[in-house]
Amino acid sequence: MTRPLIANDIVTFGILCAILGGLFALKARGGFWDRFFTFVPIILLCYLIPSLLASFGVIAPGEDGLWPVAKDYFLPAALILLTLSIDMKGIWGLGPKALIMFLTATVGVIIGGPLAMVIVGSFSPETVGGSGADATWRGLATLAGSWIGGGANQTAMLEIYGYNPDLYSAMVAVDIVVANIWMAVLLYGAGMAERIDRWLNADASAVHSLQQRMAEFSLSVEGVPTLPRLMVLLAVTFGGVGLSHLGADLLAPAIDSIPGWAGGVLASKFFWVVVIATSFGLMLSVTPARRLEGAGASKFGSVTIFLLVAIIGTRMDVFKLLDTPMLFLVGLIWIAIHVILLLIVAKMIRAPFFFVAVGSKANIGGAASAPVVAAAFHPALAPVGVLLAVLGYALGTYGAIISAQLMQMVAP
């Protein structure tokens, strides 16, 4: 891999902030730009521009430098800020369709892998073949773990099925690139959700009602964000981030030391950071701290979400598709099957596109990206993505094992 033109992560972060600021400055100008951003959602550009800069070697990919900062600082901060004023009654009022679409997404991942192997194996059996530790189905099992539960489940599948570590990097590349291509599609779809809902004949009234209630609450508490209020908001947010990491530092090693639990999802520090940050925000939402929304809690939460989007974008190198094209074809067909099943079920139960998008990303992406996609629809909806993503962690290992066994059955 050639050295990027700009290898300093701090400079890269400054460039990402400049891109975000430039895009929002254009949006604020109105006129032509209003029409432009109607067809090309701003959040999609916040994602694609950094990905293209990273792909063409202009900036350093954020995988090693910026991503840990985004995951450990920005994500828990966003979860606290966006759940601080959440209307839990409204969340529960969304009904069972969110859960149905999440489970449909899980089933789509479970069956998508073996079906993709059958399709590609019909004309390129060597792509999905192999024997022993080199068997492709063993590597794809790690992909199933990642696409249902996340990184911890992916690692668990690598250990369970003993895939050749020398070949594992190709599976990681498929995971990152294919999942990020799908995320770009979802971010684009978020900008035209009403048109997709009409095509699905969806009943999005509960989603719109929650959005309206949150907008009305924000207006009712809005005021001049004085320095004392902003400092209190800062203290609550990053005090909560610190608390999340403290709890994770205590819980993850303790669980990892329990026989039979080592290396599992509950032994993952990131899992506990997400759970504690979300729980902290939800607890604050039933206290007077909820009125910190008037100091701009959700607006600052949206800022951290857009920073997350930009940094996630730097992780996608589109040129990696050229390294193992047939393996990427397996991943793309796998995602296509997942999407087709989601759209069929959404059409049947009249589920809005929001549930399709968040149900999918709660599986393929987990807590790192599900709230990002949810917030692309409305900041008030971010907790829905978190709650479903946590459920994905719980189902990840079981779903991945089922998918792996099916892939073993169809392997040539």
Coordinates of all heavy atoms in Angstrom, one line a residue, residues 189-229:
G189 N -30.8 6.6 0.6 CA -32.2 6.3 0.7 C -32.8 7.2 1.9 O -34.0 7.5 1.8
A190 N -32.0 7.5 2.9 CA -32.6 8.3 4.0 C -33.0 9.6 3.5 O -34.0 10.2 4.0 CB -31.5 8.4 5.1
G191 N -32.4 10.1 2.5 CA -32.7 11.5 1.9 C -34.0 11.4 1.1 O -34.5 12.5 0.7
M192 N -34.4 10.2 0.7 CA -35.7 10.1 -0.1 C -36.6 9.1 0.5 O -37.3 8.4 -0.2 CB -35.3 9.7 -1.6 CG -34.3 8.6 -1.7 SD -33.7 8.3 -3.4 CE -35.2 7.8 -4.2
A193 N -36.6 9.1 1.8 CA -37.4 8.1 2.6 C -38.9 8.2 2.3 O -39.6 7.2 2.2 CB -37.2 8.3 4.1
E194 N -39.4 9.4 2.1 CA -40.8 9.5 1.8 C -41.2 8.9 0.5 O -42.3 8.2 0.4 CB -41.2 11.0 1.8 CG -41.2 11.6 3.2 CD -41.7 13.1 3.3 OE1 -42.3 13.5 2.2 OE2 -41.6 13.7 4.3
R195 N -40.4 9.0 -0.5 CA -40.7 8.4 -1.8 C -40.6 6.9 -1.7 O -41.5 6.2 -2.3 CB -39.7 8.9 -2.9 CG -40.1 10.2 -3.5 CD -39.1 10.7 -4.5 NE -38.0 11.3 -3.9 CZ -36.9 11.7 -4.6 NH1 -36.8 11.5 -5.9 NH2 -35.9 12.2 -4.0
I196 N -39.6 6.4 -1.0 CA -39.5 4.9 -0.8 C -40.7 4.4 0.0 O -41.3 3.3 -0.3 CB -38.2 4.6 -0.1 CG1 -37.0 5.0 -1.0 CG2 -38.1 3.0 0.2 CD1 -35.7 4.8 -0.3
D197 N -41.1 5.2 1.1 CA -42.3 4.8 1.9 C -43.6 4.7 1.0 O -44.4 3.8 1.2 CB -42.5 5.7 3.0 CG -41.5 5.6 4.1 OD1 -40.9 4.5 4.2 OD2 -41.4 6.5 5.0
R198 N -43.7 5.6 0.0 CA -44.9 5.5 -0.8 C -44.8 4.3 -1.7 O -45.8 3.6 -1.9 CB -44.9 6.8 -1.7 CG -45.4 8.0 -1.0 CD -45.8 9.1 -2.0 NE -44.7 9.6 -2.8 CZ -43.9 10.6 -2.4 NH1 -44.1 11.2 -1.2 NH2 -42.9 11.0 -3.2
W199 N -43.6 3.9 -2.2 CA -43.5 2.7 -3.0 C -43.8 1.5 -2.1 O -44.4 0.5 -2.6 CB -42.0 2.6 -3.5 CG -41.8 1.4 -4.3 CD1 -42.2 1.1 -5.6 CD2 -41.1 0.2 -3.9 NE1 -41.8 -0.2 -6.0 CE2 -41.1 -0.7 -4.9 CE3 -40.4 -0.1 -2.7 CZ2 -40.5 -2.0 -4.8 CZ3 -39.8 -1.4 -2.6 CH2 -39.8 -2.3 -3.7
L200 N -43.4 1.5 -0.9 CA -43.6 0.4 0.0 C -45.1 0.4 0.5 O -45.5 -0.6 1.2 CB -42.7 0.4 1.2 CG -41.2 0.1 1.0 CD1 -40.4 0.4 2.2 CD2 -41.0 -1.3 0.5
N201 N -45.8 1.4 0.2 CA -47.2 1.6 0.8 C -47.1 1.5 2.3 O -47.9 0.9 3.0 CB -48.1 0.6 0.2 CG -49.6 0.9 0.5 OD1 -49.9 2.1 0.6 ND2 -50.4 -0.1 0.6
A202 N -46.1 2.2 2.9 CA -45.8 2.0 4.3 C -46.6 3.0 5.2 O -47.0 4.1 4.7 CB -44.3 2.3 4.6
D203 N -46.8 2.6 6.4 CA -47.5 3.4 7.4 C -46.4 3.9 8.3 O -45.9 3.2 9.2 CB -48.5 2.6 8.2 CG -49.1 3.4 9.3 OD1 -49.0 4.7 9.3 OD2 -49.8 2.8 10.2
A204 N -45.9 5.1 8.0 CA -44.8 5.8 8.8 C -45.4 6.7 9.8 O -44.6 7.6 10.3 CB -43.9 6.4 7.8
S205 N -46.6 6.7 10.2 CA -47.2 7.6 11.1 C -46.6 7.7 12.4 O -46.4 8.7 13.0 CB -48.7 7.4 11.2 OG -49.0 6.1 11.7
A206 N -46.2 6.5 13.0 CA -45.6 6.4 14.3 C -44.2 7.1 14.3 O -43.8 7.8 15.2 CB -45.5 5.0 14.8
V207 N -43.5 6.9 13.2 CA -42.1 7.5 13.1 C -42.3 9.0 13.0 O -41.6 9.8 13.7 CB -41.4 7.0 11.8 CG1 -40.1 7.7 11.6 CG2 -41.2 5.5 11.9
H208 N -43.2 9.5 12.1 CA -43.4 10.9 12.0 C -43.9 11.6 13.3 O -43.6 12.7 13.6 CB -44.4 11.2 10.8 CG -43.9 10.8 9.5 ND1 -44.7 10.4 8.4 CD2 -42.7 10.6 9.0 CE1 -44.0 10.1 7.4 NE2 -42.7 10.2 7.8
S209 N -44.8 10.8 14.0 CA -45.3 11.4 15.3 C -44.2 11.6 16.3 O -44.1 12.6 17.0 CB -46.3 10.4 15.8 OG -46.8 10.8 17.1
L210 N -43.2 10.6 16.3 CA -42.1 10.7 17.3 C -41.2 11.9 16.9 O -40.8 12.7 17.7 CB -41.3 9.4 17.3 CG -40.1 9.5 18.2 CD1 -40.4 9.8 19.6 CD2 -39.3 8.1 18.1
Q211 N -41.0 12.1 15.6 CA -40.2 13.2 15.1 C -40.9 14.5 15.5 O -40.2 15.4 15.9 CB -40.0 13.1 13.6 CG -39.2 11.9 13.1 CD -39.2 11.8 11.6 OE1 -40.0 12.3 10.9 NE2 -38.2 11.1 11.1
Q212 N -42.2 14.6 15.3 CA -42.9 15.8 15.6 C -42.9 16.2 17.1 O -42.6 17.3 17.5 CB -44.3 15.7 15.1 CG -45.2 16.9 15.3 CD -44.7 18.1 14.5 OE1 -44.1 18.0 13.5 NE2 -44.9 19.3 15.1
R213 N -43.0 15.1 17.9 CA -43.0 15.3 19.4 C -41.7 15.8 19.8 O -41.6 16.7 20.7 CB -43.4 14.0 20.1 CG -44.9 13.7 20.0 CD -45.2 12.3 20.4 NE -45.0 12.0 21.8 CZ -45.3 10.9 22.4 NH1 -45.9 10.0 21.8 NH2 -45.1 10.8 23.7
M214 N -40.6 15.3 19.2 CA -39.3 15.7 19.6 C -39.0 17.1 19.2 O -38.3 17.9 19.9 CB -38.2 14.7 19.0 CG -38.1 13.4 19.8 SD -37.8 13.6 21.5 CE -36.3 14.5 21.5
A215 N -39.5 17.5 18.0 CA -39.3 18.8 17.5 C -40.0 19.8 18.4 O -39.5 20.9 18.7 CB -39.8 18.9 16.0
E216 N -41.2 19.5 18.8 CA -42.0 20.3 19.7 C -41.3 20.5 21.1 O -41.3 21.6 21.6 CB -43.4 19.8 19.9 CG -44.2 19.9 18.6 CD -45.6 19.2 18.7 OE1 -45.8 18.5 19.8 OE2 -46.4 19.3 17.8
F217 N -40.8 19.4 21.6 CA -40.1 19.5 22.9 C -38.8 20.4 22.8 O -38.6 21.2 23.6 CB -39.7 18.1 23.4 CG -38.8 18.1 24.6 CD1 -39.4 18.4 25.8 CD2 -37.5 17.9 24.6 CE1 -38.6 18.4 27.0 CE2 -36.7 17.9 25.7 CZ -37.3 18.2 26.9
S218 N -38.1 20.2 21.7 CA -36.9 21.0 21.5 C -37.2 22.5 21.5 O -36.5 23.3 22.0 CB -36.2 20.6 20.2 OG -35.7 19.3 20.2
L219 N -38.3 22.8 20.8 CA -38.8 24.2 20.7 C -39.2 24.7 22.1 O -39.0 25.9 22.5 CB -39.9 24.4 19.7 CG -39.5 24.3 18.2 CD1 -40.8 24.4 17.4 CD2 -38.6 25.5 17.9
S220 N -39.8 23.9 22.9 CA -40.4 24.3 24.2 C -39.3 24.6 25.2 O -39.5 25.4 26.1 CB -41.3 23.2 24.7 OG -40.6 22.1 25.1
V221 N -38.1 24.0 25.0 CA -37.0 24.2 26.0 C -35.9 25.0 25.4 O -34.9 25.3 26.1 CB -36.5 22.9 26.5 CG1 -37.5 22.1 27.3 CG2 -35.9 22.0 25.4
E222 N -36.0 25.4 24.2 CA -34.9 26.1 23.5 C -34.7 27.5 24.1 O -35.6 28.2 24.5 CB -35.2 26.3 22.0 CG -34.1 26.8 21.2 CD -34.3 26.7 19.7 OE1 -35.5 26.6 19.3 OE2 -33.3 26.8 19.0
G223 N -33.5 27.8 24.3 CA -33.1 29.1 24.9 C -31.7 29.5 24.4 O -31.0 28.8 23.6
V224 N -31.2 30.6 24.9 CA -29.8 31.0 24.6 C -28.8 30.1 25.3 O -28.9 29.9 26.6 CB -29.6 32.5 25.0 CG1 -28.1 32.8 24.7 CG2 -30.5 33.4 24.3
P225 N -28.0 29.4 24.6 CA -27.0 28.5 25.2 C -25.9 29.2 25.9 O -24.9 29.5 25.4 CB -26.5 27.6 24.1 CG -26.6 28.5 22.9 CD -27.8 29.4 23.1
T226 N -26.2 29.6 27.2 CA -25.2 30.3 28.0 C -24.0 29.5 28.3 O -24.0 28.2 28.2 CB -25.8 30.8 29.3 OG1 -26.2 29.7 30.1 CG2 -27.0 31.7 29.0
L227 N -22.9 30.1 28.6 CA -21.7 29.3 28.9 C -21.9 28.3 30.1 O -21.4 27.2 30.0 CB -20.5 30.3 29.3 CG -19.2 29.7 29.6 CD1 -18.7 28.8 28.4 CD2 -18.1 30.7 30.0
P228 N -22.5 28.7 31.2 CA -22.7 27.7 32.3 C -23.5 26.5 31.8 O -23.2 25.4 32.1 CB -23.5 28.5 33.3 CG -23.1 29.9 33.1 CD -23.0 30.1 31.6
R229 N -24.6 26.7 30.9 CA -25.3 25.6 30.4 C -24.5 24.7 29.5 O -24.6 23.5 29.5 CB -26.6 26.1 29.7 CG -27.6 26.8 30.6 CD -28.9 27.0 29.8 NE -29.7 25.8 29.7 CZ -30.7 25.7 28.9 NH1 -31.1 26.7 28.2 NH2 -31.4 24.5 28.9

